[in-house]
Structure formats: structure tokens, C-alpha cells
Amino acid sequence: MRSTQTMPEALPERLQDGLRVAVVGTGYVGMGTAVMLAYLGHDVVGVDIDERKVEMLGRGELPIYEPGLDALLVASQPRLRWTSDYASAIPDADVIFICVGTPPLPGGQPNLRYVADAAQSVARHLNGKLQVVVNKSTVPVGTGDWVSRLLEEHAVGYHTNRYAVVSNPEFLREGTALHDSLYPDRIVLGSGHAEGIARLAQLYAPLLEQSFAPPLCAPRPAGYTRPELVTTSLSSAEMIKYAANAFLALKISFANEIAGLCEHVDADIAEVTHGIGFDRRIGHRFLAAGAGWGGSCFGKDTSALISTGSEYGYDMPILDAAVRVNRRQRHLVITKLQRHLHRLQGKRVAVLGLAFKPNTDDLRDAPAHDCIERLTALGAKVVAHDPVALPAARREWTHLQYEEADSVEAALRGADAVLVMTEWDEYRDLDWETALRGMRNRLVIDTRNVLRRWPEHSTVEQIGRRVRLAGGVPA
Ligand code: UDX
């Protein structure tokens, strides 16, 4: 994995009242949580059934691309341990995080098998003193109660009831995971167990008081003070996570819907969202129109909420519509291309950006995936470039057909069109004028509105804006 930082990080002192923490599941959230808590001064052991991952992490190597986290992992190693053995991690832990994946089942409900496996394995190794089991995986409302039941059923007899279950949802974004974890807007703790909440407040004290020395890779933002501590019931905390993600997904779908209308009435979506964002009730963030949302959370969480609703016979028409708008947005990319090229058979199309967003190599539910699939189905030849995600795509997108390009110039050479699918800085800062010269036909479908100037003799389609036709004439 490409390293993101050259300067080594210094590890702050161990906290005097530092806790012993076990983190079960070393995916995105678990790995970040483990590294951050060790950095803040606790002793942490990460548990994963994937031996390969455990070995990599033990060597101080990060299996994913996440800016700064690699350097912090190396710095925090003295207080970090990685294992695949529950027996060596759980009995000593004051706090046990469950951070395993909850991938969607075909019907939209999250698959809770890994949560159940983790809870049962944890239960078998509880030590009979009060231990706090924290659910950080995104799980349907009511799962915390179910986890309590699993612990009860699988704990060794006399240990029963010597644990507290707390829901502590995670709000970090990939690509800015460290920043989001160290400087959150709020920390949500949901439980009916006062001691459980108190122990987690102790665990998070360095964050709540912002008493830690910021790492070089994630300086404390100017003006940031402290996060809010929100304590709720178990179910409310679980609902907060879903409602937050669903609302953000709605915001983006709303911007995309308005963007489509802007194209009809000759308005500009960037000007419109800039204008509405100053209303503090609305705000500017999460209103960027584009190729639609992707990633591991929004699709999964919106369909999980809709499916929870249907279990109770309760319709969620607003969320249904947000999902529909997102699907339409992905098709729009091809529609825009066809508007200019018509038949795509045999055409060479450069796709810039595979990751679902910049600063990550995560390909989950990436709009570029659907786009490449559709392009090849229509007979086009796809040449793909991404500053970071090409190796991940080589592993995970074996079912797709495309050529890899090791530079933007190579991708554009001889192409009939270029699609910008991810807003990497590299594409934003590109000298487009020069880059487009190598193309057979200078057509840019910029689904992330990264182009700031109009290259000469080129046609540029963006989202929610006027089309610029070759010759500099706005359509
Ligand atoms: C999201 C939530 O932000 C985070 O709080 C939660 O914990 C996990 O899910 P993440 O999936 O890492 O985080 O990505 P995020 O930055 O939220 O972007 C999600 C998708 O929305 C991306 O595909 C992105 O391109 C898209 N997006 C985002 C837009 O299209 N427009 C925007 O204005 C913002």
C-alpha cells in the first residue's frame, strides 16, 4: 500500500487511567478505532479472524489506503497488539468493541451473521467482572438488545449479567477518517446501563476534553473546541446512525434532482447550492451534485431503513425517492455520452477515477463500476485511470473489462470521450487544455464538476450546468 506520510508521528504518553480495549473486526471502522484509541493512551488489542490481516497489521502495514492512518499505526504499535485469538484478547478487556461488517443481503436487510459470531465468541471469554461491550457496527434498531441476549446465552454460567451493552455509532468518512475520529461533531452513547456509559466517557475523555496532542497528519482544526456528548437509549443511538446517513443521502439526491432541473431551465447548480447554503437551516455541505452517492454506507443504510419500515408495514416514500434519484443519476452519465457520440460500439472511452470518492481506494458501490459495466455492454472500449485504486480494482473488479492506464495522458490518448468519475485533486488541477490534445475527439463528461475553465475546441458536459460546445459556444 502506498504510504501517505513521510514524517514519523510521536506517540503521546500512556494515560494514567488508560483502559484495556479489545476491538473485534479490523475493517475500516475497527482498524481506525483501534489505532486512534492506542494513540490517545489506551492499551488496545485488535481481533480479526483474517490471519493475513492480523499479520499485516502486526508488521505495521495498513491493508487499506487512508491518509495519515499508516503513520499513526506505526507510531501507536507499542500500545497495540493484533490477534485472531479471542481467548488472548477478551478476558483482560475493560471495553470490547464490536466493529464487524454488516453487508447487505439481497433484500436490503443487513447481514448480522458476523455480529452474532462476534458476540458469541466474546461471550465465551467474558471474565465475570463488569465488561462493556460496545456496538460500533451499523446495526438495525433493536440489535443491541439482541446482542445482550446472545451474550447472556453464551456466557459461562456465573458470568451472566456482568456486562453492559452500549451503542456507539461511528460517523467517520473514508479519506478523512482520522480527522473525523479525533475531531468529531458529537459522540453518541446509547445504553440503559449507567456504568457502561460512564466507562465509555472515561475512554473518550481525551476526545471529549480535547486534551491529546494532535498528530502531525491531523492537526486540530482552527476554531474547533469540543464534541458534544449525546447520551441516549440503546435504540435511539442505533436510529441516530441510520437517520444521519439517510439524511445525508437525501441531501445529495435533492441536489442531484435540482441539478437536473437546472439543466432544463439554464440555471447553474453550483450557483444555486451556494445561494441556498447560506441559509443556516440548510448549510453548504453535502449538496454537491454529481454521479450520485456510493460507498459502503449510504446505499446499505437507506435500504436497511426502508426494509425496517416494511417489517412494520410502514412506507418510507422520501427515502424510496432518494434511492430512485440516485439510480437515475448513474444512468445520466451514459445518456450524456450518447447525446454526443450516439453509438458507443468500438468507441474508446477514458474513465478517470474508480474509487467511490477521492483519497480512498475503496471501490464499494462506486459509480465508476456501473458506468464501466454499461459502457462495455454497449460495445465501448474502456481505459481506466485512478491515482490509487487501480490495484484494488485489479483484485475486485475481475468481472469488468477495461484497460489500465498509468497516467491521465495515457488514458486520454486516442480517446473519443473522457468521463471524470471521481474528484481527485489530480484531475481538478490537471492542465486540461494540454491533456485533451491527445484525444481523438475532445469530449469531456465531467460528472464531478471539477473543470473550472473551458479548454478550447472541446465539448464539456457537467452536472446541472450549461453544456459547453467545441468552439467555446455555450449550448
Ligand atoms: C458516509 C458518512 O458521511 C459517514 O458519516 C458514515 O459514517 C459512513 O458513510 P463515506 O461513505 O466515507 O461516509 O463517504 P462520504 O464522504 O459521506 O460520501 C458518500 C458518497 O456521497 C460518495 O459517493 C460521495 O461522492 C457522495 N457525495 C458526497 C456527493 O455526491 N455529494 C456530496 O455533496 C457529498
Side-chain angles (χ1 to χ4, degrees):
M1 191 58 55
R2 178 173 106 158
S3 164
T4 61
Q5 196 177 341
T6 44
M7 287 285 282
E9 295 282 356
L11 182 64
E13 294 279 290
R14 186 180 186 281
L15 288 170
Q16 284 201 329
D17 57 351
L19 294 171
R20 285 162 304 176
V21 182
V23 178
V24 178
T26 59
Y28 228 104
V29 170
M31 206 159 11
T33 304
V35 172
M36 179 192 72
L37 290 173
Y39 178 79
L40 292 179
H42 302 287
D43 292 310
V44 182
V45 50
V47 189
D48 205 295
I49 48 172
D50 184 343
E51 303 263 2
R52 197 186 60 92
K53 235 183 194 179
V54 166
E55 277 166 28
M56 258 186 106
L57 288 161
R59 290 194 302 267
E61 289 169 28
L62 205 62
I64 49 155
Y65 175 85
E66 180 62 43
L69 195 61
D70 46 358
L72 220 61
L73 167 70
V74 172
S76 309
Q77 284 300 43
R79 284 200 289 270
L80 266 176
R81 190 163 65 80
W82 307 94
T83 180
S84 52
D85 177 25
Y86 279 83
S88 76
I90 304 302
D92 287 337
D94 303 308
V95 179
I96 300 151
F97 279 92
I98 297 184
C99 298
V100 295
T102 52
L105 290 165
Q109 316 93 313
N111 182 350
L112 295 178
R113 218 190 76 208
Y114 307 109
V115 175
D117 288 350
Q120 288 168 18
S121 307
V122 166
R124 288 190 203 103
H125 299 287
L126 290 174
N127 65 17
K129 300 187 204 113
L130 181 76
Q131 288 176 288
V132 181
V133 178
V134 188
N135 222 336
K136 228 183 197 340
S137 304
T138 303
V139 290
V141 182
T143 305
D145 281 339
W146 174 65
V147 165
S148 302
R149 182 173 285 267
L150 287 175
L151 291 175
E152 213 167 283
E153 285 171 4
H154 293 83
V156 187
Y158 65 94
H159 293 163
T160 306
N161 294 331
R162 299 296 299 150
Y163 56 81
V165 174
V166 179
S167 163
N168 169 220
E170 180 55 67
F171 302 104
L172 63 80
R173 291 160 301 169
E174 294 181 17
T176 51
L178 261 181
H179 173 277
D180 295 350
S181 306
L182 293 171
Y183 314 110
D185 293 333
R186 77 298 208 189
I187 291 178
V188 176
L189 302 177
S191 179
H193 203 299
E195 263 184 90
I197 299 262
R199 190 171 295 176
L200 280 203
Q202 177 189 344
L203 181 81
Y204 284 130
L207 289 186
L208 290 166
E209 291 154 15
Q210 287 294 304
S211 52
F212 63 92
L216 295 172
C217 59
R220 190 169 286 122
Y224 179 84
T225 49
R226 288 169 185 212
E228 289 293 331
L229 174 63
V230 181
T231 55
T232 68
S233 70
L234 201 49
S235 324
S236 296
E238 291 168 340
M239 185 54 116
I240 285 171
K241 170 69 189 190
Y242 279 107
N245 274 352
F247 189 77
L248 292 169
L250 281 185
K251 245 187 135 176
I252 300 168
S253 278
F254 178 79
N256 281 329
E257 184 167 299
I258 296 290
L261 194 57
C262 281
E263 291 182 16
H264 287 289
V265 302
D266 192 25
D268 183 310
I269 188 67
E271 291 177 355
V272 172
T273 51
H274 182 65
I276 65 173
F278 286 109
D279 185 326
R280 278 185 212 150
R281 294 168 301 177
I282 299 174
H284 284 111
R285 294 169 70 188
F286 270 75
L287 281 176
W293 35 266
S296 65
C297 290
F298 288 175
K300 173 169 79 81
D301 294 353
T302 44
S303 49
L305 260 194
I306 293 168
S307 120
T308 302
S310 74
E311 279 173 25
Y312 293 84
Y314 184 71
D315 285 343
M316 305 204 69
I318 299 182
L319 273 187
D320 271 330
V323 173
R324 262 206 327 275
V325 168
N326 201 52
R327 210 171 297 134
R328 178 173 76 179
Q329 207 64 15
R330 290 197 181 183
H331 289 158
L332 184 66
V333 181
I334 305 292
T335 309
K336 280 180 181 284
L337 192 61
Q338 287 170 326
R339 194 178 293 157
H340 300 277
L341 290 187
H342 307 288
R343 261 174 72 76
L344 296 178
Q345 184 71 39
K347 302 269 164 60
R348 193 174 165 90
V349 179
V351 171
L352 299 188
L354 300 182
F356 82 95
K357 67 171 190 178
N359 298 322
T360 178
D361 64 345
D362 196 336
L363 298 168
R364 285 177 287 179
D365 201 16
H369 175 277
D370 296 7
C371 179
I372 295 176
E373 195 167 52
R374 185 97 187 92
L375 285 171
T376 39
L378 291 167
K381 287 199 188 75
V382 177
V383 191
H385 175 267
D386 189 289
V388 165
L390 282 176
R394 212 173 295 141
R395 286 191 305 272
E396 292 167 36
W397 288 358
T398 46
H399 54 288
L400 292 186
Q401 286 162 23
Y402 60 88
E403 257 174 57
E404 284 184 11
D406 55 13
S407 67
V408 175
E409 289 67 30
L412 263 50
R413 205 166 299 134
D416 295 283
V418 51
L419 307 184
V420 182
M421 297 302 295
T422 316
E423 65 277 34
W424 285 98
D425 281 346
E426 180 169 344
Y427 305 149
R428 228 183 260 289
D429 302 336
L430 192 70
D431 174 359
W432 282 95
E433 196 79 53
T434 313
L436 296 183
R437 285 192 196 132
M439 291 180 73
R440 186 164 184 270
N441 175 44
R442 298 184 197 179
L443 169 62
V444 185
I445 312 290
D446 173 13
T447 74
R448 299 292 182 177
N449 293 357
V450 300
L451 263 73
R452 288 178 288 235
R453 276 185 296 280
W454 312 121
E456 267 192 291
H457 313 299
S458 313
T459 296
V460 180
E461 278 251 10
Q462 295 189 312
I463 304 289
R465 290 195 161 155
R466 221 179 246 202
V467 181
R468 305 283 156 160
L469 294 173
V473 197

